[in-house]
Amino acid sequence: MANTRSAEKRNRQAQRRRIRNLHVRTGVKGVVKKVRDAVVKGDAAQAREALHQATRLIDRAASKGVLHRNAASRKIARLSRAVSQLGASKPSAP
């Protein structure tokens, strides 16, 4: 339990941040899942669009401090690699 007014304020701030961070992290998980699902289905166009949305959301989360910048960069790199391999692995037309 907080003993001072400043500690009480810090608790309130931490609770607000926790709720906001949880919302952002959940959103990131959702867009990452959309990219991965599109890659599994083999839909390159949908995967590229989902990757664009995921990149924006992950970058925004990193800029707000919800994700560490290196973790965000790693997520984007892995998703980008998966999407680019999807485009490269198309069978050639006979």
Side-chain angles (χ1 to χ4, degrees), residues 17-58:
R17 287 188 184 114
R18 183 182 61 81
I19 292 168
R20 182 171 53 237
N21 292 346
L22 179 65
H23 178 71
V24 171
R25 279 195 304 266
T26 304
V28 167
K29 288 178 189 177
V31 294
V32 168
K33 187 175 179 181
K34 283 182 184 179
V35 175
R36 296 228 181 265
D37 287 345
V39 169
V40 169
K41 289 179 185 175
D43 188 354
Q46 184 180 358
R48 280 192 298 272
E49 178 61 32
L51 175 65
H52 178 69
Q53 291 176 355
T55 302
R56 289 189 53 184
L57 197 61
I58 292 169

Side-chain angles (χ1 to χ4, degrees), residues 77-93:
R78 289 177 180 173
L79 290 173
S80 298
R81 186 175 60 209
V83 171
S84 66
Q85 286 177 350
L86 176 67
S89 65
K90 281 185 178 178
S92 60

Side-chain angles (χ1 to χ4, degrees), residues 2-12:
N3 292 324
T4 62
R5 290 181 63 194
S6 61
E8 289 172 355
K9 181 178 179 179
R10 276 298 194 191
N11 284 341
R12 288 193 305 269

